[in-house]
């Protein structure tokens, strides 16, 4: 996380679909038959500091790959990105970006694709995607998280533009976003376990489109601040590698995000994020390896 700010943000109304605009892509001409090219725009509200939020880039790349795969064969319309493995080569600025998509495999159960996010002629994010079909069947086993309220309590910390968190993380202007004060010990100048909890909900217009809601759930799996902040390590924590899983389409309502770490080392730390929907079902997960901010 960086301390730099973006100050010229436009307000987003409740009837708007700001995340839908992230996923609204224009197909571009291509001279390479096996590469689909798309143009997109990522607005400043989807930034952390001056740079585009990582989960937003993963979800947008997944949207581009989904467009390419589904347009290649009508039988693949039901395919969705169930896994995305992303490497971050650079940090894009908000604005226009391009996506170059290559389909690597088409199968009855599993399809594979690569998506590069490009800005100013440079590939800045490279994502390998696995496609499959989701199921609405109840899981055979799933741990319960009944200790986390379904919606943010009164003392949850919001990401309004003039708040401590909102001045750095601008995503709260494109969606409703709250941080659990009980777990975020760093907010009170204290230290605690490297774990955090959040609540997030898309704008109503974004929630109404099943695909946009699906991509939003993938994005939310990278929404937690670095859990190392609870150990006193503040600053930018560059992601080395991140893998995101989509488990099912989310039910309407609040998403609950639980972030934990297995180890915070001297140079790198891992962070797992689990996303539950309003029905308590696992809808998305992520695991990333990131550099520890130096105190």
């Amino acid at each position: 996380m960086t301390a730099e700010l973006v100050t010229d943000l436009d307000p987003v109304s409740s009837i708007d679909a700001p995340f839908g605009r992230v996923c609204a892509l224009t197909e571009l001409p291509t001279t390479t038959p096996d590469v689909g090219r798309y143009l997109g725009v990522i607005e400043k509200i989807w930034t952390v500091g001056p740079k585009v939020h990582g989960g937003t880039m993963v979800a947008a790349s997944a949207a581009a790959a989904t467009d390419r795969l589904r347009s290649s064969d009508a039988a693949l319309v039901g395919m969705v990105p169930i896994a995305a493995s992303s490497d971050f080569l650079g940090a894009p600025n908000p604005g226009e970006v391009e996506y170059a998509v290559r389909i690597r495999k088409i199968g009855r159960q599993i399809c594979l694709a690569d998506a590069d996010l490009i800005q100013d002629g440079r590939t800045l994010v490279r994502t390998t995607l696995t496609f499959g079909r989701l199921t609405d069947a109840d899981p055979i086993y799933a741990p319960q998280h009944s200790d986390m309220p379904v919606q943010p309590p009164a003392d949850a910390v919001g990401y309004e533009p003039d708040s401590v968190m909102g001045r750095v993380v601008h995503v709260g202007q494109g969606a409703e976003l709250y941080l659990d004060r009980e777990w975020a010990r760093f907010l009170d100048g204290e230290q605690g376990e490297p774990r955090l909890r959040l609540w997030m909900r898309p704008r109503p217009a974004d929630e109404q489109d099943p695909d946009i809601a699906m991509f939003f759930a993938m994005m939310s799996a990278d929404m937690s601040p670095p859990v190392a902040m609870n150990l006193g390590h503040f600053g930018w924590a560059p992601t080395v590698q991140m893998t995101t899983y989509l488990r099912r389409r989310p039910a309407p309502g609040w998403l609950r995000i639980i972030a934990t770490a297995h180890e915070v080392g001297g140079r790198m730390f891992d962070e797992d994020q689990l996303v539950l929907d309003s029905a308590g079902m696992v809808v998305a997960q992520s695991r990333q390896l990131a550099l520890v901010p130096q105190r």
Side-chain angles (χ1 to χ4, degrees), residues 19 22 42 46 48 52-62 86 88 171 215-223 239 242 244 286 288:
F19 199 73
V22 172
I42 301 179
W46 304 107
V48 178
V52 176
H53 167 243
T56 299
M57 294 186 288
V58 172
S61 297
S86 302
F88 299 86
V171 178
F215 295 130
F216 185 92
M218 294 183 71
M219 178 273 289
S220 68
D222 184 41
M223 203 58 253
T239 298
M242 181 168 70
T244 305
S286 74
Q288 62 181 288

Side-chain angles (χ1 to χ4, degrees), residues 7 17 38 43 111 126 137 187 193 208 221 234 295:
T7 57
Y38 298 87
E43 298 166 87
C111 297
R126 180 160 291 168
L187 289 174
E193 291 293 315
Q208 291 169 7
F234 297 93
R295 288 191 280 188

Side-chain angles (χ1 to χ4, degrees), residues 200-279:
M200 192 173 192
R201 183 167 65 179
R203 299 293 181 188
D206 282 330
E207 193 173 54
Q208 291 169 7
D209 186 306
D211 279 346
I212 301 304
M214 173 183 72
F215 295 130
F216 185 92
M218 294 183 71
M219 178 273 289
S220 68
D222 184 41
M223 203 58 253
S224 173
V227 293
M229 292 174 68
N230 265 354
L231 299 176
H233 290 273
F234 297 93
W236 186 35
T239 298
V240 177
Q241 201 280 339
M242 181 168 70
T243 299
T244 305
Y245 297 118
L246 178 69
R247 305 301 300 274
R248 57 178 43 82
R249 294 182 183 274
W254 288 98
L255 298 175
R256 286 169 281 173
I257 305 162
I258 303 171
T260 56
H262 294 278
E263 180 182 270
V264 179
R267 183 168 180 266
M268 291 189 287
F269 70 102
D270 61 80
E271 183 164 331
D272 289 356
Q273 297 191 37
L274 177 70
V275 183
L276 309 172
D277 67 7
S278 59

Side-chain angles (χ1 to χ4, degrees), residues 2 5 21 91 99 107 157 165 170-171 177 188 257 285 287:
T2 175
L5 306 180
R21 292 197 297 274
Y99 305 90
V157 179
M165 299 302 296
H170 310 115
V171 178
L177 181 61
D188 298 316
I257 305 162
Q285 299 165 267
R287 168 167 288 180

Side-chain angles (χ1 to χ4, degrees), residues 107-182:
R108 289 182 296 177
Q109 299 295 326
I110 297 295
C111 297
L112 304 176
D114 297 336
D116 291 347
L117 186 152
I118 303 165
Q119 190 174 68
D120 297 329
R122 294 178 55 212
T123 297
L124 298 180
V125 182
R126 180 160 291 168
T127 302
T128 300
L129 297 113
T130 302
F131 285 81
R133 300 180 188 277
L134 298 178
T135 176
D136 293 329
D138 290 337
I140 297 172
Y141 168 79
Q144 300 300 307
H145 297 275
S146 56
D147 60 324
M148 185 175 183
V150 175
Q151 59 187 18
D155 65 346
V157 179
Y159 280 69
E160 294 82 6
D162 59 349
S163 68
V164 172
M165 299 302 296
R167 286 196 293 269
V168 177
V169 181
H170 310 115
V171 178
Q173 298 194 40
E176 293 183 82
L177 181 61
Y178 290 87
L179 180 65
D180 181 16
R181 176 173 286 280
E182 180 183 354

Side-chain angles (χ1 to χ4, degrees), residues 67-121:
D67 280 2
R68 178 66 173 174
L69 183 69
R70 291 177 178 177
S71 65
S72 67
D73 189 333
L76 303 177
V77 170
M79 286 280 186
V80 300
I82 59 174
S85 180
S86 302
D87 294 293
F88 299 86
L89 288 67
N93 296 308
E96 288 191 351
V97 294
E98 293 185 20
Y99 305 90
V101 180
R102 294 170 176 82
I103 305 302
R104 298 298 188 183
K105 172 187 174 180
I106 292 181
R108 289 182 296 177
Q109 299 295 326
I110 297 295
C111 297
L112 304 176
D114 297 336
D116 291 347
L117 186 152
I118 303 165
Q119 190 174 68
D120 297 329

